[in-house]
Amino acid sequence: MDDRIDLNSADQNAIDQIEDLQGHGHEIVRYRDERGGFSDLRQLDEVPGLTGKVTDAARARLKL
């Protein structure tokens, strides 16, 4: 069973459940809505406030 969260469809609350992303769900959803979605998990570094802060553990909890 794949329990990863889909970054392109998850709501703010689901994203905030990931430890390293707590409190950033709103910015991530806004970024996604403005740019038409994520094509690579590394794009999280482009979200304001997350540059250099997203760990491999957080990325492992996500999927596209």
Side-chain angles (χ1 to χ4, degrees):
M1 181 176 191
D2 188 358
D3 62 347
R4 294 179 298 163
I5 294 171
D6 188 320
L7 189 57
N8 284 318
S9 64
D11 65 14
Q12 172 183 340
N13 293 328
I15 294 169
D16 281 336
Q17 297 302 308
I18 298 173
E19 184 175 335
D20 293 334
L21 303 180
Q22 289 174 346
H24 294 284
H26 175 74
E27 290 93 355
I28 292 169
V29 170
R30 184 181 62 204
Y31 180 93
R32 177 185 74 201
D33 291 346
E34 289 174 356
R35 304 205 197 289
F38 291 90
S39 59
D40 190 302
L41 292 176
R42 283 178 249 145
Q43 286 177 293
L44 281 169
D45 287 327
E46 298 172 13
V47 175
L50 287 180
T51 303
K53 296 180 181 177
V54 182
T55 64
D56 289 338
R59 286 188 179 94
R61 303 256 338 262
L62 299 166
K63 65 181 178 179
L64 298 175

